[in-house]
Amino acid sequence: MANLKEIRNRITSVSSTMQITSAMKMVSAAKLKKAQDAITAMRPYADKLTELLQGLSATLDADSGSKFSTQREVKNVLIVPITSNRGLCGAFNSNIIKQTQSLIDNEYAGKKVSILAMGKKGNDAFSKKKIVIANNSSLFDNLTFDNVAEVAETLMDKFVSGEFDKIEIVYNKFKNAATQEVMTEQFLPIVPVQNDANVNLDYIFEPSKVEIVEQLIPKSLKTQLYKGIRDSFASEHGARMTAMHKATDNATELRDQLKLTYNKARQAAITNEILEIVGGAEALNN
């Protein structure tokens, strides 16, 4: 009977866990819808802005380059890994941490690498190595373009001042609730535009192209960072919803197995008791 009690306790425990994971799945599904709508609505604007900026840049002389496109010898690198503040979202955070560590160990081996963490999980992973210069975990409490723009301006200032020669962003790109793609994007310096024969901007510019580009570049960089964080935010909820869905299914399967084991053990116990009673009665008759 002690074994039956243990199984009953396990069934209760698994059932409680299943209720929690099911509730977390529904919460993440509700948040995912809002986050997905936000990134879906933003992507066309961000892509068009980048396309316009690249088109304008392609028509400018090399001497008209912006201070944000200055190519220097890479000695000091800043990586911005975008993770979440909470776990229980599968491999969402570990994929970003692994990719960031791979950049440190391989591509930037021998360079001085610093981390500006976006999210508590990334900060926890790299703070032990004492390479984290700042942690912007609170950004996700009020995720707005203005708040992200402040961080982007900080990154731009650090590049222009020469504190860092290269800045890269590592984040999860949202595809669907079950699929996220780890992306590594160069934030600064601006990636040189490839020579495109299709670039043809037959427009009259007022003010000049150079002035327009100088105004567009900061806006484009802020938008790029905001899009990456929005992508990551949607990916987080998608990953958590998928993870909690699988956890709920596993808990349901485990509960059913435990119930079957419990019923078999209970049936065996009852059978043994019947056999003992029958055996006792036969002994008395003899």
Side-chain angles (χ1 to χ4, degrees):
M1 295 302 292
N3 187 35
L4 288 177
K5 183 178 180 181
E6 180 182 345
I7 296 175
R8 279 199 304 270
N9 290 338
R10 288 196 63 192
I11 291 174
T12 302
S13 177
V14 171
S15 297
S16 298
T17 302
M18 185 178 67
Q19 291 177 349
I20 294 171
T21 56
S22 179
M24 292 183 67
K25 171 193 169 184
M26 290 187 289
V27 170
S28 292
K31 291 183 177 180
L32 172 63
K33 181 63 171 64
K34 184 177 179 180
Q36 184 176 355
D37 290 343
I39 187 60
T40 302
M42 181 184 177
R43 273 179 182 164
Y45 169 77
D47 293 342
K48 190 64 179 178
L49 180 61
T50 302
E51 178 187 340
L52 178 61
L53 180 62
Q54 289 180 342
L56 283 170
S57 300
T59 62
L60 294 177
D61 297 331
D63 297 335
S64 302
S66 166
K67 57 186 176 181
F68 299 114
S69 59
T70 304
Q71 302 288 331
R72 298 191 290 260
E73 181 183 356
V74 178
K75 296 180 180 179
N76 298 312
V77 181
L78 179 63
I79 301 177
V80 184
I82 304 175
T83 58
S84 67
N85 289 338
R86 293 181 292 273
L88 298 177
C89 46
F92 173 83
N93 290 311
S94 62
N95 287 340
I96 296 297
I97 293 170
K98 287 178 182 177
Q99 176 64 14
T100 303
Q101 190 61 52
S102 176
L103 290 173
I104 296 172
D105 295 339
N106 300 314
E107 186 169 347
Y108 300 120
K111 313 288 185 184
K112 182 181 179 182
V113 180
S114 301
I115 299 292
L116 191 148
M118 293 278 193
K120 185 175 181 297
K121 295 299 180 179
N123 180 66
D124 293 345
F126 295 105
S127 58
K128 299 175 183 177
K129 300 181 180 181
K130 298 181 179 180
I131 58 175
V132 178
I133 63 171
N135 177 23
N136 291 298
S137 300
S138 60
L139 190 68
F140 294 101
D141 297 334
N142 185 22
L143 185 54
T144 63
F145 179 81
D146 290 338
N147 290 338
V148 175
E150 292 180 6
V151 179
E153 287 174 359
T154 300
L155 295 177
M156 288 186 276
D157 291 341
K158 289 181 179 297
F159 176 78
V160 172
S161 66
E163 183 177 349
F164 295 103
D165 304 312
K166 191 174 184 181
I167 300 177
E168 296 220 81
I169 305 172
V170 183
Y171 67 96
N172 280 294
K173 182 179 180 181
F174 178 81
K175 287 193 170 182
N176 54 56
T179 307
Q180 300 85 37
E181 180 183 359
V182 178
M183 301 291 293
T184 301
E185 287 185 359
Q186 182 171 315
F187 186 71
L188 286 169
I190 296 173
V191 179
V193 180
Q194 299 297 323
N195 194 11
D196 190 352
N198 295 324
V199 174
N200 182 19
L201 296 176
D202 189 15
Y203 302 126
I204 297 175
F205 297 96
E206 182 65 34
S208 66
K209 291 181 183 180
V210 175
E211 292 179 75
I212 293 175
V213 168
E214 287 178 351
Q215 293 179 16
L216 277 181
I217 285 178
K219 188 176 184 66
S220 177
L221 290 171
K222 293 173 185 177
T223 303
Q224 180 186 353
L225 181 61
Y226 186 58
K227 181 174 73 72
I229 294 176
R230 271 292 177 191
D231 255 316
S232 180
F233 193 63
S235 298
E236 175 192 350
H237 292 304
R240 183 171 290 111
M241 186 186 76
T242 302
M244 292 301 99
H245 176 72
K246 292 180 179 179
T248 302
D249 289 346
N250 291 338
T252 302
E253 183 180 351
L254 180 58
R255 183 194 61 181
D256 293 341
Q257 292 177 351
L258 288 172
K259 283 185 176 180
L260 182 61
T261 302
Y262 175 81
N263 290 333
K264 287 182 178 179
R266 185 167 175 269
Q267 185 179 20
I270 294 173
T271 302
N272 288 335
E273 290 178 1
I274 293 175
L275 290 175
E276 289 175 1
I277 293 172
V278 172
E282 288 293 330
L284 290 174
N285 291 334
N286 293 331

